Short mmCIF file of all heavy atoms in Angstrom, two decimals:
data_model
loop_
_atom_site.label_atom_id
_atom_site.label_comp_id
_atom_site.label_asym_id
_atom_site.label_seq_id
_atom_site.Cartn_x
_atom_site.Cartn_y
_atom_site.Cartn_z
N MET P 1 123.34 106.49 147.39
CA MET P 1 124.22 107.08 148.39
C MET P 1 125.33 106.09 148.73
O MET P 1 125.06 104.93 149.00
CB MET P 1 123.41 107.42 149.65
CG MET P 1 124.15 108.28 150.63
SD MET P 1 123.02 108.99 151.85
CE MET P 1 123.03 107.72 153.08
N THR P 2 126.56 106.58 148.71
CA THR P 2 127.70 105.74 149.05
C THR P 2 128.33 106.24 150.33
O THR P 2 128.54 107.44 150.49
CB THR P 2 128.74 105.77 147.92
OG1 THR P 2 128.12 105.35 146.71
CG2 THR P 2 129.92 104.86 148.24
N VAL P 3 128.59 105.33 151.26
CA VAL P 3 129.17 105.70 152.54
C VAL P 3 130.52 105.00 152.68
O VAL P 3 130.61 103.78 152.56
CB VAL P 3 128.25 105.27 153.71
CG1 VAL P 3 128.84 105.72 155.04
CG2 VAL P 3 126.86 105.84 153.53
N THR P 4 131.55 105.79 152.91
CA THR P 4 132.87 105.21 153.13
C THR P 4 133.47 105.80 154.41
O THR P 4 133.08 106.87 154.86
CB THR P 4 133.82 105.49 151.95
OG1 THR P 4 133.84 106.89 151.68
CG2 THR P 4 133.38 104.76 150.70
N ILE P 5 134.40 105.06 154.97
CA ILE P 5 135.07 105.48 156.20
C ILE P 5 136.52 105.79 155.87
O ILE P 5 137.24 104.95 155.31
CB ILE P 5 135.03 104.35 157.26
CG1 ILE P 5 133.59 103.86 157.50
CG2 ILE P 5 135.67 104.81 158.55
CD1 ILE P 5 132.65 104.89 158.06
N SER P 6 136.95 106.99 156.20
CA SER P 6 138.33 107.36 155.89
C SER P 6 139.28 106.80 156.95
O SER P 6 138.86 106.35 158.03
CB SER P 6 138.47 108.88 155.82
OG SER P 6 138.59 109.41 157.12
N ASP P 7 140.57 106.89 156.65
CA ASP P 7 141.58 106.40 157.58
C ASP P 7 141.69 107.26 158.83
O ASP P 7 142.42 106.91 159.76
CB ASP P 7 142.95 106.34 156.88
CG ASP P 7 143.01 105.22 155.85
OD1 ASP P 7 142.18 104.28 155.93
OD2 ASP P 7 143.89 105.27 154.97
N ASP P 8 140.95 108.37 158.87
CA ASP P 8 140.95 109.20 160.07
C ASP P 8 140.17 108.58 161.22
O ASP P 8 140.28 109.02 162.36
CB ASP P 8 140.33 110.57 159.76
CG ASP P 8 141.19 111.40 158.83
OD1 ASP P 8 142.42 111.17 158.78
OD2 ASP P 8 140.63 112.28 158.13
N CYS P 9 139.38 107.55 160.93
CA CYS P 9 138.56 106.91 161.97
C CYS P 9 139.42 106.47 163.15
O CYS P 9 140.46 105.85 162.98
CB CYS P 9 137.84 105.70 161.37
SG CYS P 9 136.91 104.74 162.59
N ILE P 10 138.93 106.81 164.36
CA ILE P 10 139.63 106.44 165.60
C ILE P 10 138.87 105.35 166.35
O ILE P 10 139.16 105.09 167.51
CB ILE P 10 139.82 107.68 166.51
CG1 ILE P 10 138.48 108.36 166.81
CG2 ILE P 10 140.81 108.66 165.86
CD1 ILE P 10 138.57 109.48 167.85
N ALA P 11 137.91 104.71 165.67
CA ALA P 11 137.16 103.59 166.25
C ALA P 11 136.51 103.95 167.58
O ALA P 11 136.49 103.15 168.52
CB ALA P 11 138.05 102.35 166.39
N CYS P 12 135.93 105.15 167.66
CA CYS P 12 135.35 105.62 168.92
C CYS P 12 134.01 104.95 169.22
O CYS P 12 133.56 104.93 170.36
CB CYS P 12 135.17 107.13 168.88
SG CYS P 12 133.84 107.68 167.79
N GLY P 13 133.32 104.47 168.19
CA GLY P 13 132.06 103.78 168.40
C GLY P 13 130.82 104.66 168.31
O GLY P 13 129.70 104.14 168.42
N ALA P 14 130.99 105.94 168.10
CA ALA P 14 129.82 106.84 168.08
C ALA P 14 128.86 106.47 166.95
O ALA P 14 127.64 106.45 167.15
CB ALA P 14 130.28 108.28 167.93
N CYS P 15 129.39 106.19 165.80
CA CYS P 15 128.50 105.89 164.66
C CYS P 15 127.70 104.61 164.91
O CYS P 15 126.52 104.54 164.59
CB CYS P 15 129.29 105.79 163.36
SG CYS P 15 130.68 104.64 163.40
N GLU P 16 128.34 103.62 165.51
CA GLU P 16 127.63 102.38 165.82
C GLU P 16 126.53 102.63 166.84
O GLU P 16 125.44 102.06 166.75
CB GLU P 16 128.61 101.33 166.34
CG GLU P 16 127.98 99.98 166.62
CD GLU P 16 128.99 98.98 167.14
OE1 GLU P 16 129.70 99.30 168.11
OE2 GLU P 16 129.08 97.89 166.57
N SER P 17 126.81 103.49 167.81
CA SER P 17 125.81 103.82 168.82
C SER P 17 124.59 104.48 168.20
O SER P 17 123.46 104.24 168.63
CB SER P 17 126.40 104.76 169.88
OG SER P 17 127.42 104.12 170.58
N ILE P 18 124.83 105.31 167.20
CA ILE P 18 123.74 106.04 166.55
C ILE P 18 122.98 105.18 165.56
O ILE P 18 121.75 105.23 165.47
CB ILE P 18 124.30 107.30 165.86
CG1 ILE P 18 124.80 108.28 166.92
CG2 ILE P 18 123.27 107.94 164.94
CD1 ILE P 18 125.66 109.40 166.36
N CYS P 19 123.67 104.35 164.81
CA CYS P 19 123.04 103.60 163.72
C CYS P 19 123.74 102.25 163.56
O CYS P 19 124.55 102.06 162.64
CB CYS P 19 123.10 104.42 162.44
SG CYS P 19 122.17 103.68 161.08
N ASP P 20 123.40 101.31 164.44
CA ASP P 20 124.13 100.04 164.40
C ASP P 20 123.67 99.12 163.27
O ASP P 20 124.27 98.07 163.04
CB ASP P 20 124.07 99.33 165.75
CG ASP P 20 122.67 98.90 166.16
OD1 ASP P 20 121.71 99.12 165.38
OD2 ASP P 20 122.53 98.37 167.27
N ALA P 21 122.63 99.52 162.55
CA ALA P 21 122.25 98.76 161.36
C ALA P 21 123.28 98.92 160.24
O ALA P 21 123.48 98.01 159.43
CB ALA P 21 120.87 99.20 160.86
N VAL P 22 123.93 100.07 160.24
CA VAL P 22 124.88 100.38 159.16
C VAL P 22 126.33 100.26 159.62
O VAL P 22 127.17 99.74 158.89
CB VAL P 22 124.62 101.80 158.60
CG1 VAL P 22 125.71 102.21 157.61
CG2 VAL P 22 123.25 101.86 157.94
N PHE P 23 126.62 100.74 160.83
CA PHE P 23 128.01 100.84 161.26
C PHE P 23 128.34 99.79 162.31
O PHE P 23 127.57 99.56 163.24
CB PHE P 23 128.29 102.23 161.85
CG PHE P 23 128.05 103.35 160.89
CD1 PHE P 23 126.87 104.09 160.95
CD2 PHE P 23 128.98 103.68 159.92
CE1 PHE P 23 126.63 105.13 160.07
CE2 PHE P 23 128.75 104.71 159.02
CZ PHE P 23 127.58 105.44 159.09
N SER P 24 129.50 99.18 162.17
CA SER P 24 130.04 98.34 163.22
C SER P 24 131.53 98.63 163.31
O SER P 24 132.14 99.16 162.39
CB SER P 24 129.77 96.86 162.93
OG SER P 24 130.28 96.50 161.67
N ILE P 25 132.12 98.32 164.45
CA ILE P 25 133.50 98.71 164.70
C ILE P 25 134.38 97.47 164.69
O ILE P 25 134.14 96.51 165.43
CB ILE P 25 133.64 99.41 166.07
CG1 ILE P 25 132.61 100.53 166.22
CG2 ILE P 25 135.06 99.94 166.25
CD1 ILE P 25 132.68 101.60 165.17
N GLU P 26 135.37 97.51 163.83
CA GLU P 26 136.42 96.49 163.87
C GLU P 26 137.72 97.25 164.16
O GLU P 26 137.76 97.96 165.15
CB GLU P 26 136.42 95.71 162.55
CG GLU P 26 135.10 94.92 162.42
CD GLU P 26 134.98 94.12 161.13
OE1 GLU P 26 135.94 94.04 160.35
OE2 GLU P 26 133.89 93.56 160.90
N ASP P 27 138.74 97.16 163.34
CA ASP P 27 139.90 98.03 163.56
C ASP P 27 139.50 99.49 163.37
O ASP P 27 140.05 100.39 163.99
CB ASP P 27 141.02 97.67 162.58
CG ASP P 27 141.63 96.32 162.90
OD1 ASP P 27 141.48 95.86 164.05
OD2 ASP P 27 142.26 95.72 162.02
N LYS P 28 138.56 99.69 162.47
CA LYS P 28 137.90 100.98 162.34
C LYS P 28 136.45 100.69 161.99
O LYS P 28 136.07 99.52 161.89
CB LYS P 28 138.58 101.86 161.27
CG LYS P 28 138.48 101.32 159.86
CD LYS P 28 139.04 102.33 158.85
CE LYS P 28 138.73 101.91 157.42
NZ LYS P 28 139.12 102.94 156.44
N ALA P 29 135.66 101.73 161.84
CA ALA P 29 134.25 101.51 161.50
C ALA P 29 134.14 100.86 160.13
O ALA P 29 134.91 101.17 159.21
CB ALA P 29 133.51 102.84 161.52
N VAL P 30 133.20 99.96 159.99
CA VAL P 30 132.90 99.37 158.69
C VAL P 30 131.42 99.59 158.40
O VAL P 30 130.60 99.73 159.31
CB VAL P 30 133.24 97.86 158.63
CG1 VAL P 30 134.74 97.65 158.77
CG2 VAL P 30 132.49 97.08 159.69
N VAL P 31 131.10 99.63 157.12
CA VAL P 31 129.75 99.97 156.66
C VAL P 31 129.07 98.74 156.08
O VAL P 31 129.65 98.03 155.25
CB VAL P 31 129.82 101.09 155.60
CG1 VAL P 31 128.44 101.37 155.01
CG2 VAL P 31 130.41 102.35 156.19
N ASN P 32 127.86 98.50 156.54
CA ASN P 32 127.00 97.47 155.94
C ASN P 32 126.26 98.13 154.77
O ASN P 32 125.21 98.75 154.95
CB ASN P 32 126.03 96.94 156.99
CG ASN P 32 125.04 95.94 156.42
OD1 ASN P 32 125.14 95.52 155.27
ND2 ASN P 32 124.07 95.56 157.23
N ASP P 33 126.83 98.03 153.59
CA ASP P 33 126.31 98.77 152.44
C ASP P 33 124.83 98.47 152.17
O ASP P 33 124.08 99.35 151.76
CB ASP P 33 127.13 98.44 151.19
CG ASP P 33 128.54 98.99 151.25
OD1 ASP P 33 128.71 100.12 151.71
OD2 ASP P 33 129.47 98.26 150.85
N GLY P 34 124.43 97.24 152.42
CA GLY P 34 123.07 96.84 152.12
C GLY P 34 122.03 97.50 152.99
O GLY P 34 120.84 97.50 152.66
N ALA P 35 122.46 98.08 154.11
CA ALA P 35 121.52 98.71 155.04
C ALA P 35 121.44 100.22 154.87
O ALA P 35 120.60 100.87 155.49
CB ALA P 35 121.92 98.38 156.48
N VAL P 36 122.29 100.78 154.03
CA VAL P 36 122.36 102.24 153.92
C VAL P 36 121.04 102.85 153.45
O VAL P 36 120.54 103.82 154.04
CB VAL P 36 123.52 102.66 152.99
CG1 VAL P 36 123.42 104.15 152.64
CG2 VAL P 36 124.86 102.35 153.63
N ALA P 37 120.45 102.29 152.41
CA ALA P 37 119.27 102.89 151.81
C ALA P 37 118.11 103.00 152.80
O ALA P 37 117.31 103.95 152.73
CB ALA P 37 118.85 102.09 150.58
N ASP P 38 118.01 102.07 153.72
CA ASP P 38 116.92 102.09 154.69
C ASP P 38 117.24 102.91 155.94
O ASP P 38 116.41 103.00 156.85
CB ASP P 38 116.58 100.66 155.12
CG ASP P 38 115.87 99.88 154.02
OD1 ASP P 38 115.28 100.51 153.12
OD2 ASP P 38 115.92 98.63 154.05
N ASN P 39 118.43 103.47 156.00
CA ASN P 39 118.87 104.18 157.21
C ASN P 39 119.55 105.50 156.88
O ASN P 39 120.53 105.89 157.51
CB ASN P 39 119.83 103.28 158.00
CG ASN P 39 119.17 102.05 158.57
OD1 ASN P 39 118.54 102.11 159.62
ND2 ASN P 39 119.29 100.92 157.88
N VAL P 40 119.00 106.21 155.92
CA VAL P 40 119.63 107.45 155.45
C VAL P 40 119.75 108.47 156.58
O VAL P 40 120.79 109.11 156.75
CB VAL P 40 118.85 108.02 154.25
CG1 VAL P 40 119.34 109.42 153.90
CG2 VAL P 40 119.01 107.09 153.04
N ASP P 41 118.69 108.64 157.35
CA ASP P 41 118.74 109.63 158.43
C ASP P 41 119.80 109.26 159.46
O ASP P 41 120.52 110.13 159.96
CB ASP P 41 117.37 109.76 159.10
CG ASP P 41 116.35 110.47 158.21
OD1 ASP P 41 116.76 111.07 157.19
OD2 ASP P 41 115.15 110.42 158.54
N GLY P 42 119.88 107.98 159.80
CA GLY P 42 120.87 107.53 160.77
C GLY P 42 122.29 107.72 160.26
O GLY P 42 123.18 108.09 161.03
N VAL P 43 122.49 107.48 158.99
CA VAL P 43 123.82 107.68 158.39
C VAL P 43 124.21 109.15 158.47
O VAL P 43 125.34 109.48 158.84
CB VAL P 43 123.84 107.18 156.94
CG1 VAL P 43 125.09 107.65 156.22
CG2 VAL P 43 123.73 105.66 156.90
N LYS P 44 123.28 110.03 158.14
CA LYS P 44 123.58 111.46 158.16
C LYS P 44 123.86 111.92 159.59
O LYS P 44 124.76 112.73 159.84
CB LYS P 44 122.43 112.25 157.55
CG LYS P 44 122.33 112.05 156.03
CD LYS P 44 121.14 112.82 155.45
CE LYS P 44 121.09 112.66 153.94
NZ LYS P 44 119.88 113.31 153.37
N GLU P 45 123.06 111.41 160.53
CA GLU P 45 123.28 111.78 161.93
C GLU P 45 124.65 111.31 162.41
O GLU P 45 125.37 112.03 163.10
CB GLU P 45 122.17 111.16 162.80
CG GLU P 45 122.23 111.58 164.25
CD GLU P 45 121.11 110.98 165.10
OE1 GLU P 45 120.11 110.49 164.53
OE2 GLU P 45 121.26 110.97 166.32
N ALA P 46 125.01 110.09 162.04
CA ALA P 46 126.32 109.56 162.44
C ALA P 46 127.45 110.36 161.80
O ALA P 46 128.46 110.64 162.46
CB ALA P 46 126.41 108.08 162.04
N ALA P 47 127.28 110.72 160.53
CA ALA P 47 128.31 111.50 159.86
C ALA P 47 128.51 112.84 160.55
O ALA P 47 129.64 113.31 160.73
CB ALA P 47 127.95 111.69 158.39
N ASP P 48 127.40 113.47 160.97
CA ASP P 48 127.50 114.75 161.68
C ASP P 48 128.16 114.58 163.04
O ASP P 48 128.82 115.49 163.54
CB ASP P 48 126.10 115.35 161.86
CG ASP P 48 125.54 115.90 160.56
OD1 ASP P 48 126.32 116.09 159.61
OD2 ASP P 48 124.31 116.13 160.51
N ALA P 49 127.94 113.42 163.67
CA ALA P 49 128.44 113.20 165.02
C ALA P 49 129.88 112.72 165.07
O ALA P 49 130.53 112.80 166.11
CB ALA P 49 127.54 112.18 165.73
N CYS P 50 130.37 112.19 163.98
CA CYS P 50 131.74 111.64 163.98
C CYS P 50 132.73 112.73 164.39
O CYS P 50 132.78 113.79 163.76
CB CYS P 50 132.09 111.10 162.60
SG CYS P 50 133.80 110.49 162.52
N PRO P 51 133.52 112.48 165.43
CA PRO P 51 134.40 113.55 165.95
C PRO P 51 135.55 113.91 165.02
O PRO P 51 136.16 114.97 165.18
CB PRO P 51 134.91 112.96 167.27
CG PRO P 51 134.82 111.49 167.10
CD PRO P 51 133.59 111.26 166.24
N VAL P 52 135.85 113.05 164.07
CA VAL P 52 136.98 113.33 163.17
C VAL P 52 136.55 113.43 161.71
O VAL P 52 137.38 113.47 160.81
CB VAL P 52 138.09 112.26 163.33
CG1 VAL P 52 138.73 112.37 164.70
CG2 VAL P 52 137.55 110.85 163.09
N GLY P 53 135.24 113.47 161.49
CA GLY P 53 134.76 113.64 160.12
C GLY P 53 135.14 112.51 159.19
O GLY P 53 135.37 112.72 157.99
N ALA P 54 135.17 111.29 159.71
CA ALA P 54 135.67 110.17 158.93
C ALA P 54 134.60 109.49 158.07
O ALA P 54 134.93 108.64 157.25
CB ALA P 54 136.31 109.13 159.85
N ILE P 55 133.34 109.85 158.29
CA ILE P 55 132.26 109.21 157.53
C ILE P 55 131.98 110.08 156.31
O ILE P 55 131.51 111.21 156.42
CB ILE P 55 130.99 109.06 158.38
CG1 ILE P 55 131.31 108.20 159.62
CG2 ILE P 55 129.87 108.42 157.56
CD1 ILE P 55 130.16 108.13 160.62
N VAL P 56 132.28 109.53 155.14
CA VAL P 56 132.16 110.28 153.89
C VAL P 56 130.91 109.79 153.17
O VAL P 56 130.80 108.61 152.81
CB VAL P 56 133.39 110.06 153.01
CG1 VAL P 56 133.27 110.86 151.72
CG2 VAL P 56 134.66 110.48 153.77
N VAL P 57 129.95 110.70 153.00
CA VAL P 57 128.69 110.38 152.35
C VAL P 57 128.68 111.05 150.99
O VAL P 57 128.82 112.27 150.89
CB VAL P 57 127.49 110.85 153.20
CG1 VAL P 57 126.17 110.53 152.50
CG2 VAL P 57 127.53 110.23 154.57
N GLU P 58 128.50 110.25 149.95
CA GLU P 58 128.51 110.81 148.60
C GLU P 58 127.28 110.37 147.85
O GLU P 58 126.70 109.34 148.14
CB GLU P 58 129.77 110.34 147.84
CG GLU P 58 131.04 110.88 148.49
CD GLU P 58 132.29 110.29 147.86
OE1 GLU P 58 132.40 109.05 147.80
OE2 GLU P 58 133.15 111.06 147.45
S1 SF4 K 101 132.13 107.95 164.72
FE1 SF4 K 101 133.81 108.36 163.27
S2 SF4 K 101 135.71 108.01 164.42
FE2 SF4 K 101 134.00 107.08 165.59
S3 SF4 K 101 134.01 104.93 164.92
FE3 SF4 K 101 132.53 106.03 163.63
S4 SF4 K 101 133.70 106.66 161.80
FE4 SF4 K 101 135.18 106.09 163.39
#
C-alpha cells in the first residue's frame, strides 16, 4: 500500500490526530512510509476523514 499526500492538503491536522504513527504535519501532511503497513486501518480512517480528499491510498 502506498500513501501519498496531494497538494490539496490544507494542513488541518486531522490525519495526525487519527493516526500519528503515520501522519505528521509540516507545511502539509507527510507520511512515515515505514509505519504504513502496521497502521492500515488508521490510514484508511484518516483518508476517509480528510476534508479535502488529499490522502491518496493506492
Ligand atoms: S487530514 Fe487531509 S488536509 Fe488535513 S492535514 Fe491530513 S492530508 Fe492534510
Side-chain angles (χ1 to χ4, degrees):
M1 191 165 89
T2 302
V3 183
T4 53
I5 306 297
S6 81
D7 289 340
D8 292 335
C9 175
I10 56 172
C12 72
C15 54
E16 183 180 52
S17 295
I18 292 166
C19 187
D20 65 2
V22 173
F23 301 100
S24 56
I25 310 302
E26 294 179 6
D27 290 340
K28 65 174 190 174
V30 295
V31 175
N32 176 8
D33 292 319
V36 168
D38 288 338
N39 293 278
V40 170
D41 288 348
V43 168
K44 289 178 178 176
E45 185 179 343
D48 287 344
C50 177
V52 292
I55 301 173
V56 181
V57 179
E58 296 173 306

